[in-house]
């Protein structure tokens, strides 16, 4: 059977059934009842469980990742998305045409009325505060808050093989000239007391997608100082990076360089280990 047919939701469901102690025959019967051919269902179950055992044995977290594809485009839910650049370490992928120009504009219009000065997480308490390290304005949508967010979330879930319910709501940020986001990691430092409460809700962040909603006239690249990589903000494009451990060795230190001319608008989607309620 083809790998593509095992959706992230099905993968998650099969693992949950097995880990809840349901016998393989029960899982198979449920899959047959929802229309799966017996042989295809059996190979899907085997594929998922072999991968799961390997993951548990190695102690590695699974992270969002592109489905295997030799080409420069992938079909993601409702759209062909271009793969412009791929890097292994750090794991960084730059996408083209993740969003249409109309979607970029519509997301900025929906976000505009709720924009307020961005805050950063206070590691010691798990709360948040206004901080010079982040001089943008921003807002959060709740997951699935409107049709457009739901569509983009389904697209990212399909693109990166990651369940839609493991995603945080989309955040929109707006930078004016001089505004920046100093280099940081997106995971929560497990050693910080404030992280405990944050991690109860969906576990660690394991991946980030920064979508560019406009093209600033100058400045505003997303920079990865430990990898020597700068990704320029271009409307409709996006940068994805994954981090299987919450550690600087992932080389995912990144920042938003100061915008020099014009504005920069981005939408960020963070992906968690588990369901984010
Ligand atoms: O706007 C960016 O380029 C940027 C850079 C670093 C956004 C984020 N981090 C983020 O939203 O986490
Ligand atoms: Zn970040």
């Amino acid at each position: 059977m083809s790998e593509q047919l095992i959706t992230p939701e099905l993968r998650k469901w099969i693992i949950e059934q097995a880990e809840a102690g349901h016998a393989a025959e029960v899982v198979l019967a449920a899959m047959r009842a929802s229309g799966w051919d017996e042989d295809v269902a059996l190979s899907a179950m085997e594929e998922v469980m072999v991968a799961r055992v390997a993951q548990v044995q190695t102690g590695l977290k699974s992270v969002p990742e592109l489905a295997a594809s030799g080409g420069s485009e992938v079909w993601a839910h409702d759209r062909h998305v271009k793969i412009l650049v791929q890097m292994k370490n750090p794991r960084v992928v730059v996408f083209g045409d993740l969003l249409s120009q109309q979607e970029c504009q519509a997301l900025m219009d929906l976000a505009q009325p709720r924009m307020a000065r961005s805050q950063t997480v206070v590691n010691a308490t798990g709360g948040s505060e206004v901080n010079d390290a982040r001089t943008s304005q921003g807002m959060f949508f709740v997951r699935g808050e409107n049709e457009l967010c739901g569509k983009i979330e389904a697209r990212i879930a399909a693109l990166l093989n990651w369940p839609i319910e493991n995603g945080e709501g989309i955040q929109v940020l707006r930078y004016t000239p001089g505004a920046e986001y100093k280099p940081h990691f997106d995971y929560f430092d497990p050693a910080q007391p404030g992280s405990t409460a944050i991690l109860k809700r969906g576990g660690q962040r394991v991946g980030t997608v920064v979508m560019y909603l406009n093209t600033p006239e100058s400045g505003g690249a997303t920079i990865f100082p430990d990898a020597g990589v700068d990704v320029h903000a271009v409307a409709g494009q996006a940068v994805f990076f994954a981090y299987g451990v919450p550690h600087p060795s992932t080389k995912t230190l990144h920042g938003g360089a100061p915008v020099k001319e014009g504005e920069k608008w981005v939408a960020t989607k963070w992906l968690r280990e588990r369901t984010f309620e």
Side-chain angles (χ1 to χ4, degrees):
M1 75 159 284
S2 109
E3 170 79 15
Q4 262 80 349
L5 290 176
I6 311 175
T7 63
E9 287 74 21
L10 176 65
R11 192 175 288 277
K12 187 173 179 182
W13 179 81
I14 292 174
I15 292 169
E16 280 169 2
Q17 299 308 302
E19 292 179 354
H22 298 303
E25 303 83 75
V26 177
V27 181
L28 180 62
M31 287 179 74
R32 290 200 62 191
S34 60
W36 283 70
D37 168 88
E38 177 158 343
D39 288 346
V40 177
L42 274 172
S43 17
M45 284 166 58
E46 186 183 0
E47 203 261 16
V48 169
M49 291 317 296
V50 165
R52 174 68 178 156
V53 167
Q55 185 193 332
V56 170
Q57 281 174 343
T58 56
L60 277 179
K61 272 192 204 121
S62 87
V63 290
E65 185 49 87
L66 287 172
S69 141
S72 62
E73 268 191 9
V74 278
W75 178 252
H77 179 64
D78 58 352
R79 193 172 170 84
H80 285 289
V81 174
K82 293 194 171 69
I83 301 166
L84 301 180
V85 178
Q86 288 209 57
M87 192 171 177
K88 288 200 172 66
N89 184 21
R91 182 59 176 147
V92 174
V93 184
V94 180
F95 295 113
D97 279 351
L98 178 61
L99 304 178
S100 72
Q101 300 303 307
Q102 290 79 1
E103 287 170 334
C104 290
Q105 188 59 53
L107 209 49
M108 291 188 282
D109 291 344
L110 285 166
Q112 173 77 63
R114 282 156 56 185
M115 298 300 275
R117 175 74 194 263
S118 300
Q119 305 210 331
T120 45
V121 171
V122 182
N123 283 327
T125 63
S128 52
E129 66 176 14
V130 167
N131 188 311
D132 277 352
R134 195 179 189 194
T135 48
S136 53
Q137 291 186 309
M139 58 78 69
F140 274 96
F141 289 106
V142 174
R143 198 175 58 228
E145 178 173 326
N146 52 52
E147 204 184 329
L148 179 57
C149 285
K151 199 167 21 158
I152 297 170
E153 284 157 3
R155 201 177 289 159
I156 292 175
L159 182 66
L160 296 173
N161 255 304
W162 206 247
I164 204 162
E165 63 270 18
N166 291 22
E168 296 182 32
I170 290 173
Q171 177 196 235
V172 174
L173 293 177
R174 170 177 171 254
Y175 302 77
T176 47
E180 66 178 317
Y181 195 172
K182 295 229 168 81
H184 59 275
F185 294 99
D186 280 353
Y187 56 74
F188 303 104
D189 183 349
Q192 291 291 336
S195 297
T196 314
I198 297 173
L199 294 175
K200 283 202 177 120
R201 198 176 167 205
Q204 262 298 354
R205 286 178 175 163
V206 288
T208 305
V209 183
V210 177
M211 298 168 265
Y212 303 108
L213 304 182
N214 80 328
T215 308
E217 281 158 47
S218 153
T222 304
I223 55 171
F224 293 82
D226 291 346
V229 168
D230 295 357
V231 180
H232 292 282
V234 176
Q237 298 190 359
V239 60
F240 157 69
F241 48 99
Y243 28 99
V245 283
H247 193 270
S249 61
T250 56
K251 299 191 193 169
T252 57
L253 182 71
H254 66 287
V259 172
K260 291 188 185 144
E261 279 176 85
E263 288 189 342
K264 173 189 174 195
W265 287 74
V266 301
T268 304
K269 178 87 185 159
W270 286 294
L271 306 171
R272 298 284 189 116
E273 282 176 272
R274 295 187 287 279
T275 302
F276 180 81
E277 300 291 3

